[in-house]
């Protein structure tokens, strides 16, 4: 156990590399071992952008969106889900237009 903890803590066993889009799936290692390479981004926003760009390339028959009101991920895979989202957006736009009109 001591060796495993020491190997994890000791930076001489870690490799740092710049983060790029294909790095998310290019490296395979056994689940019983520590990650051999740590990918580094310029900032959290940079890492988020790169991960989002990579995720957009995944082929899937649905779309996902983050709902900030419920703090959850919604899966949009049926027409009814998309219509509900469109109604929500229309309601938000109506509130925005009303606020802008009142500012005149």
């Amino acid at each position: 156990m001591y060796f495993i903890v020491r190997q994890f803590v000791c930076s001489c066993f870690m490799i740092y590399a710049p983060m790029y889009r294909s790095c998310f799936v290019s490296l395979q290692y056994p689940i019983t071992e520590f990650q051999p390479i740590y990918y580094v981004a310029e900032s959290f926003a940079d890492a988020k952008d790169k991960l989002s760009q990579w995720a957009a390339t995944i082929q899937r028959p649905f779309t996902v969106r983050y709902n900030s009101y419920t703090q959850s991920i919604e899966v949009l895979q049926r027409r009814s889900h998309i219509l509900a989202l469109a109604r929500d957006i229309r309601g938000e736009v109506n509130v925005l237009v009303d606020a802008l009109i009142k500012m005149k």
Side-chain angles (χ1 to χ4, degrees), residues 6-7 12 22 24-26 32 35 48 55 61 68 84-85 91 96 98:
R6 180 169 170 74
Q7 182 179 2
C12 62
S22 62
F24 301 112
V25 295
S26 62
T32 57
Q35 182 174 333
K48 181 179 150 188
S68 58
L85 174 60
L96 179 62
D98 187 48

PDB file of all heavy atoms in Angstrom, residues 6-7 12 22 24-26 32 35 48 55 61 68 84-85 91 96 98:
ATOM      1  N   ARG A   6       2.856   6.208  -2.512  1.00  0.00           N
ATOM      2  CA  ARG A   6       4.061   6.958  -2.862  1.00  0.00           C
ATOM      3  C   ARG A   6       4.135   7.181  -4.372  1.00  0.00           C
ATOM      4  O   ARG A   6       4.490   8.252  -4.824  1.00  0.00           O
ATOM      5  CB  ARG A   6       5.299   6.221  -2.366  1.00  0.00           C
ATOM      6  CG  ARG A   6       6.595   6.936  -2.681  1.00  0.00           C
ATOM      7  CD  ARG A   6       7.760   6.302  -1.929  1.00  0.00           C
ATOM      8  NE  ARG A   6       9.026   6.788  -2.367  1.00  0.00           N
ATOM      9  CZ  ARG A   6       9.528   7.986  -2.100  1.00  0.00           C
ATOM     10  NH1 ARG A   6       8.816   8.824  -1.380  1.00  0.00           N
ATOM     11  NH2 ARG A   6      10.711   8.345  -2.528  1.00  0.00           N
ATOM     12  N   GLN A   7       3.772   6.173  -5.142  1.00  0.00           N
ATOM     13  CA  GLN A   7       3.802   6.310  -6.592  1.00  0.00           C
ATOM     14  C   GLN A   7       2.812   7.385  -7.034  1.00  0.00           C
ATOM     15  O   GLN A   7       3.104   8.165  -7.920  1.00  0.00           O
ATOM     16  CB  GLN A   7       3.448   4.979  -7.254  1.00  0.00           C
ATOM     17  CG  GLN A   7       3.511   5.029  -8.765  1.00  0.00           C
ATOM     18  CD  GLN A   7       3.182   3.693  -9.402  1.00  0.00           C
ATOM     19  OE1 GLN A   7       2.874   2.740  -8.710  1.00  0.00           O
ATOM     20  NE2 GLN A   7       3.245   3.641 -10.704  1.00  0.00           N
ATOM     21  N   CYS A  12       7.494  12.285  -9.962  1.00  0.00           N
ATOM     22  CA  CYS A  12       8.383  11.694 -10.949  1.00  0.00           C
ATOM     23  C   CYS A  12       7.706  10.571 -11.724  1.00  0.00           C
ATOM     24  O   CYS A  12       8.172  10.169 -12.776  1.00  0.00           O
ATOM     25  CB  CYS A  12       9.679  11.205 -10.298  1.00  0.00           C
ATOM     26  SG  CYS A  12       9.418   9.917  -9.071  1.00  0.00           S
ATOM     27  N   SER A  22      -8.396  14.929 -29.026  1.00  0.00           N
ATOM     28  CA  SER A  22      -8.407  13.469 -29.103  1.00  0.00           C
ATOM     29  C   SER A  22      -7.769  12.792 -27.895  1.00  0.00           C
ATOM     30  O   SER A  22      -7.811  11.580 -27.781  1.00  0.00           O
ATOM     31  CB  SER A  22      -7.712  13.008 -30.378  1.00  0.00           C
ATOM     32  OG  SER A  22      -6.363  13.411 -30.363  1.00  0.00           O
ATOM     33  N   PHE A  24      -8.852  12.644 -24.986  1.00  0.00           N
ATOM     34  CA  PHE A  24      -9.842  12.121 -24.058  1.00  0.00           C
ATOM     35  C   PHE A  24     -10.092  10.634 -24.225  1.00  0.00           C
ATOM     36  O   PHE A  24     -10.564   9.981 -23.325  1.00  0.00           O
ATOM     37  CB  PHE A  24     -11.164  12.884 -24.201  1.00  0.00           C
ATOM     38  CG  PHE A  24     -11.018  14.357 -23.939  1.00  0.00           C
ATOM     39  CD1 PHE A  24     -11.164  15.271 -24.953  1.00  0.00           C
ATOM     40  CD2 PHE A  24     -10.717  14.816 -22.671  1.00  0.00           C
ATOM     41  CE1 PHE A  24     -11.024  16.623 -24.715  1.00  0.00           C
ATOM     42  CE2 PHE A  24     -10.576  16.163 -22.422  1.00  0.00           C
ATOM     43  CZ  PHE A  24     -10.725  17.070 -23.445  1.00  0.00           C
ATOM     44  N   VAL A  25      -9.783  10.096 -25.381  1.00  0.00           N
ATOM     45  CA  VAL A  25     -10.045   8.674 -25.625  1.00  0.00           C
ATOM     46  C   VAL A  25      -8.828   7.924 -26.135  1.00  0.00           C
ATOM     47  O   VAL A  25      -8.891   6.731 -26.367  1.00  0.00           O
ATOM     48  CB  VAL A  25     -11.203   8.480 -26.634  1.00  0.00           C
ATOM     49  CG1 VAL A  25     -12.494   8.981 -26.057  1.00  0.00           C
ATOM     50  CG2 VAL A  25     -10.893   9.144 -27.946  1.00  0.00           C
ATOM     51  N   SER A  26      -7.720   8.606 -26.311  1.00  0.00           N
ATOM     52  CA  SER A  26      -6.571   7.974 -26.959  1.00  0.00           C
ATOM     53  C   SER A  26      -5.748   7.087 -26.019  1.00  0.00           C
ATOM     54  O   SER A  26      -5.067   6.186 -26.480  1.00  0.00           O
ATOM     55  CB  SER A  26      -5.664   9.032 -27.591  1.00  0.00           C
ATOM     56  OG  SER A  26      -5.153   9.887 -26.584  1.00  0.00           O
ATOM     57  N   THR A  32      -7.091  -0.606 -12.523  1.00  0.00           N
ATOM     58  CA  THR A  32      -6.423  -0.853 -11.244  1.00  0.00           C
ATOM     59  C   THR A  32      -5.145  -0.042 -11.092  1.00  0.00           C
ATOM     60  O   THR A  32      -4.490  -0.121 -10.063  1.00  0.00           O
ATOM     61  CB  THR A  32      -6.075  -2.349 -11.115  1.00  0.00           C
ATOM     62  OG1 THR A  32      -5.270  -2.726 -12.235  1.00  0.00           O
ATOM     63  CG2 THR A  32      -7.340  -3.185 -11.071  1.00  0.00           C
ATOM     64  N   GLN A  35      -3.620   6.870 -13.276  1.00  0.00           N
ATOM     65  CA  GLN A  35      -3.542   7.462 -14.610  1.00  0.00           C
ATOM     66  C   GLN A  35      -2.097   7.876 -14.888  1.00  0.00           C
ATOM     67  O   GLN A  35      -1.514   8.650 -14.136  1.00  0.00           O
ATOM     68  CB  GLN A  35      -4.471   8.674 -14.662  1.00  0.00           C
ATOM     69  CG  GLN A  35      -4.534   9.347 -15.994  1.00  0.00           C
ATOM     70  CD  GLN A  35      -5.582  10.447 -15.996  1.00  0.00           C
ATOM     71  OE1 GLN A  35      -6.542  10.397 -15.239  1.00  0.00           O
ATOM     72  NE2 GLN A  35      -5.386  11.437 -16.836  1.00  0.00           N
ATOM     73  N   LYS A  48     -12.859  23.244 -20.504  1.00  0.00           N
ATOM     74  CA  LYS A  48     -14.291  23.086 -20.749  1.00  0.00           C
ATOM     75  C   LYS A  48     -14.600  23.189 -22.239  1.00  0.00           C
ATOM     76  O   LYS A  48     -15.367  22.385 -22.779  1.00  0.00           O
ATOM     77  CB  LYS A  48     -15.055  24.157 -19.970  1.00  0.00           C
ATOM     78  CG  LYS A  48     -16.541  24.098 -20.111  1.00  0.00           C
ATOM     79  CD  LYS A  48     -17.171  25.187 -19.266  1.00  0.00           C
ATOM     80  CE  LYS A  48     -18.455  25.648 -19.887  1.00  0.00           C
ATOM     81  NZ  LYS A  48     -19.025  26.807 -19.248  1.00  0.00           N
ATOM     82  N   ALA A  55     -16.975  16.386 -27.131  1.00  0.00           N
ATOM     83  CA  ALA A  55     -18.267  15.746 -26.884  1.00  0.00           C
ATOM     84  C   ALA A  55     -19.227  15.974 -28.048  1.00  0.00           C
ATOM     85  O   ALA A  55     -20.062  15.119 -28.347  1.00  0.00           O
ATOM     86  CB  ALA A  55     -18.872  16.270 -25.585  1.00  0.00           C
ATOM     87  N   PRO A  61     -28.164   9.585 -31.048  1.00  0.00           N
ATOM     88  CA  PRO A  61     -29.474   9.911 -31.628  1.00  0.00           C
ATOM     89  C   PRO A  61     -30.298  10.889 -30.783  1.00  0.00           C
ATOM     90  O   PRO A  61     -31.505  10.939 -30.902  1.00  0.00           O
ATOM     91  CB  PRO A  61     -30.159   8.543 -31.690  1.00  0.00           C
ATOM     92  CG  PRO A  61     -29.605   7.814 -30.521  1.00  0.00           C
ATOM     93  CD  PRO A  61     -28.167   8.271 -30.414  1.00  0.00           C
ATOM     94  N   SER A  68     -30.575  25.046 -15.989  1.00  0.00           N
ATOM     95  CA  SER A  68     -30.024  25.749 -14.830  1.00  0.00           C
ATOM     96  C   SER A  68     -31.056  25.929 -13.712  1.00  0.00           C
ATOM     97  O   SER A  68     -30.685  26.091 -12.556  1.00  0.00           O
ATOM     98  CB  SER A  68     -29.469  27.104 -15.252  1.00  0.00           C
ATOM     99  OG  SER A  68     -30.492  27.880 -15.851  1.00  0.00           O
ATOM    100  N   ALA A  84     -41.386  21.243 -25.613  1.00  0.00           N
ATOM    101  CA  ALA A  84     -41.387  21.815 -24.261  1.00  0.00           C
ATOM    102  C   ALA A  84     -40.254  22.817 -24.097  1.00  0.00           C
ATOM    103  O   ALA A  84     -40.445  23.891 -23.497  1.00  0.00           O
ATOM    104  CB  ALA A  84     -41.276  20.699 -23.223  1.00  0.00           C
ATOM    105  N   LEU A  85     -39.091  22.480 -24.640  1.00  0.00           N
ATOM    106  CA  LEU A  85     -37.960  23.417 -24.581  1.00  0.00           C
ATOM    107  C   LEU A  85     -38.280  24.687 -25.366  1.00  0.00           C
ATOM    108  O   LEU A  85     -38.000  25.799 -24.905  1.00  0.00           O
ATOM    109  CB  LEU A  85     -36.694  22.751 -25.134  1.00  0.00           C
ATOM    110  CG  LEU A  85     -35.470  23.650 -25.271  1.00  0.00           C
ATOM    111  CD1 LEU A  85     -35.070  24.229 -23.916  1.00  0.00           C
ATOM    112  CD2 LEU A  85     -34.315  22.874 -25.877  1.00  0.00           C
ATOM    113  N   GLY A  91     -41.241  31.578 -23.558  1.00  0.00           N
ATOM    114  CA  GLY A  91     -41.614  32.272 -22.331  1.00  0.00           C
ATOM    115  C   GLY A  91     -40.512  33.181 -21.836  1.00  0.00           C
ATOM    116  O   GLY A  91     -40.761  34.316 -21.407  1.00  0.00           O
ATOM    117  N   LEU A  96     -38.118  38.761 -21.453  1.00  0.00           N
ATOM    118  CA  LEU A  96     -37.060  39.681 -21.873  1.00  0.00           C
ATOM    119  C   LEU A  96     -37.631  40.865 -22.653  1.00  0.00           C
ATOM    120  O   LEU A  96     -37.279  42.022 -22.390  1.00  0.00           O
ATOM    121  CB  LEU A  96     -36.033  38.924 -22.726  1.00  0.00           C
ATOM    122  CG  LEU A  96     -34.863  39.718 -23.271  1.00  0.00           C
ATOM    123  CD1 LEU A  96     -34.024  40.294 -22.144  1.00  0.00           C
ATOM    124  CD2 LEU A  96     -34.006  38.837 -24.166  1.00  0.00           C
ATOM    125  N   ASP A  98     -40.701  42.038 -22.548  1.00  0.00           N
ATOM    126  CA  ASP A  98     -41.482  42.847 -21.607  1.00  0.00           C
ATOM    127  C   ASP A  98     -40.567  43.744 -20.789  1.00  0.00           C
ATOM    128  O   ASP A  98     -40.863  44.937 -20.593  1.00  0.00           O
ATOM    129  CB  ASP A  98     -42.300  41.934 -20.691  1.00  0.00           C
ATOM    130  CG  ASP A  98     -43.254  42.716 -19.803  1.00  0.00           C
ATOM    131  OD1 ASP A  98     -43.963  43.585 -20.337  1.00  0.00           O
ATOM    132  OD2 ASP A  98     -43.275  42.427 -18.579  1.00  0.00           O
TER     133      ASP A  98
END
